[in-house]
Amino acid sequence: MSKYIIEDIKDFDLDHIFDCGQCFRWEKQPDGSYSGTAFNKVVNMQVDSGQLTIDPCTKEEYESIWRTYLDMDRDYGAIKKTLCADDPVMKKAADYGYGIRILNQDLWETIVSFIISQNNNIPRIKGCIERLCQLAGEPVADSFAIPVAEKLASMTEEDLAGVRLGYRSRYLIETAKCVCDKGLPENEEQLLDLCGVGPKVANCILLFGMNKYDSFPIDVWVRRVMHELYGIAENDKKAMTVYAREHFGDLGGFAQQYLFYYIRSITE
DNA sequence: TGCCAGGTGATCG
DNA sequence: CGATCACATGGC
């Protein structure tokens, strides 16, 4: 099994990438590397003195999967420079989460993950997704893939009881049936048609699974940032959306991730 | 114990 | 429309 090494990486930190709430299936190893499952591959990623090692990984797999997944062709330095000009809050946030990248994740996995995420906390979301994969996912190496829509559409709430999704199990089954019926959603309107997908979850799916980088998902943490650090009324979600549009523009999704990661670090 | 977590659907005015 | 409430689960 071969490894693949990318030299001279910049604006890249595995802790920031895998612990900023955008994905739930990467596990930190005792040596500081991360192992995870995506696109039906199980790999380990390790960074050492400016080198990223992916194992196992061929050149072809890097070019066809991980290069895009890790968003390697985007200039995050330029993004941070734009966002942080005249914004001391964003400067602090981006200095803290300097190595964040927005992963290009599988759309169906993103839909499943963020339906489960609602009114839930990150450690429990991870547990739910792992149990769901073990129960209904196809084996991949020594792990399991995200269950395909056809499989979930064929299951009942009782089948899923052991996953402990709570009331979200119905959402997941309904959404799986809808996707089997109509195919994957292609825009926000179609996302909002899915059961268990409202404005916040739709924005996360747009940002993490559909390359819509101007999306600005507002959850309890972002609400907190916008109130405590930008002075916007706590319950005025509309004003927060307008502020993001006017100040962050097309980079709203990147801004949101820096702020989300930062506010969580200073609130604990 | 009651509150909280990457909220949404149903209901009511 | 907008506001309110119920909804499983588990950690603190």
Side-chain angles (χ1 to χ4, degrees), chain A residues 8-33:
Chain A
D8 208 18
I9 51 173
K10 284 186 296 190
D11 306 304
F12 189 106
D13 184 278
L14 293 175
D15 289 324
H16 301 172
I17 292 168
F18 292 132
D19 195 31
C20 72
Q22 62 179 323
C23 58
F24 305 98
R25 298 208 67 201
W26 290 88
E27 188 95 19
K28 189 169 189 173
Q29 305 301 308
D31 64 359
S33 68

Side-chain angles (χ1 to χ4, degrees), chain A residues 82-121:
Chain A
T82 303
L83 283 176
C84 296
D86 308 318
D87 188 338
V89 171
M90 188 64 68
K91 180 77 168 68
K92 279 196 144 185
D95 281 348
Y96 177 74
Y98 62 87
I100 287 175
R101 306 184 84 82
I102 296 193
L103 299 171
N104 289 290
Q105 301 182 63
D106 173 73
L107 177 54
W108 174 243
E109 173 165 344
T110 311
I111 291 170
V112 170
S113 299
F114 282 90
I115 284 177
I116 292 172
S117 79
Q118 63 179 82
N119 202 26
N120 210 339
N121 58 66

Side-chain angles (χ1 to χ4, degrees), chain A residues 8-258:
Chain A
D8 208 18
I9 51 173
K10 284 186 296 190
D11 306 304
F12 189 106
D13 184 278
L14 293 175
D15 289 324
H16 301 172
I17 292 168
F18 292 132
D19 195 31
C20 72
Q22 62 179 323
C23 58
F24 305 98
R25 298 208 67 201
W26 290 88
E27 188 95 19
K28 189 169 189 173
Q29 305 301 308
D31 64 359
S33 68
Y34 280 81
S35 293
T37 309
F39 292 101
N40 290 317
K41 303 282 180 191
V42 178
V43 299
N44 177 269
M45 297 195 187
Q46 182 152 33
V47 169
D48 187 25
S49 57
Q51 273 192 353
L52 168 65
T53 303
I54 306 177
D55 179 24
C57 177
T58 64
K59 178 172 172 52
E60 290 70 30
E61 284 170 334
Y62 174 70
E63 295 295 342
S64 64
I65 299 177
W66 305 115
R67 182 172 182 155
T68 307
Y69 183 74
L70 297 169
D71 209 21
M72 296 305 272
D73 295 314
R74 193 180 308 279
D75 184 351
Y76 279 76
I79 289 171
K80 286 184 278 188
K81 195 173 175 186
T82 303
L83 283 176
C84 296
D86 308 318
D87 188 338
V89 171
M90 188 64 68
K91 180 77 168 68
K92 279 196 144 185
D95 281 348
Y96 177 74
Y98 62 87
I100 287 175
R101 306 184 84 82
I102 296 193
L103 299 171
N104 289 290
Q105 301 182 63
D106 173 73
L107 177 54
W108 174 243
E109 173 165 344
T110 311
I111 291 170
V112 170
S113 299
F114 282 90
I115 284 177
I116 292 172
S117 79
Q118 63 179 82
N119 202 26
N120 210 339
N121 58 66
I122 291 178
R124 213 178 83 83
I125 295 165
K126 289 183 176 177
C128 286
I129 292 175
E130 211 45 51
R131 289 191 293 274
L132 179 68
C133 292
Q134 287 174 15
L135 178 70
E138 291 296 317
V140 179
D142 59 346
S143 180
F144 295 89
I146 285 279
V148 296
E150 290 74 12
K151 174 68 176 175
L152 291 181
S154 75
M155 298 179 80
T156 65
E157 291 183 51
E158 299 84 78
D159 293 333
L160 290 175
V163 182
R164 281 171 285 169
L165 295 170
Y167 62 90
R168 306 171 194 84
S169 56
R170 181 175 70 83
Y171 296 169
L172 207 52
I173 293 167
E174 290 301 312
T175 287
K177 287 178 178 169
C178 186
V179 166
C180 286
D181 197 30
K182 302 179 182 172
L184 287 166
E186 295 178 351
N187 53 45
E188 181 168 16
E189 185 188 358
Q190 292 175 11
L191 279 171
L192 293 172
D193 275 341
L194 298 174
C195 185
V197 177
K200 189 272 171 182
V201 169
N203 270 286
C204 284
I205 297 168
L206 286 164
L207 179 57
F208 303 129
M210 298 176 81
N211 298 89
K212 287 281 291 176
Y213 297 105
D214 59 340
S215 301
F216 192 80
I218 299 177
D219 69 338
V220 294
W221 295 100
V222 174
R223 188 183 294 261
R224 214 163 276 165
V225 183
M226 298 310 282
H227 175 238
E228 293 177 11
L229 302 183
Y230 286 96
I232 300 173
E234 199 168 6
N235 56 356
D236 197 346
K237 186 177 164 181
K238 189 171 288 181
M240 296 174 184
T241 303
V242 170
Y243 186 96
R245 168 57 52 195
E246 290 179 348
H247 292 79
F248 310 140
D250 290 344
L251 301 178
F254 302 99
Q256 196 268 6
Q257 279 309 102
Y258 290 126

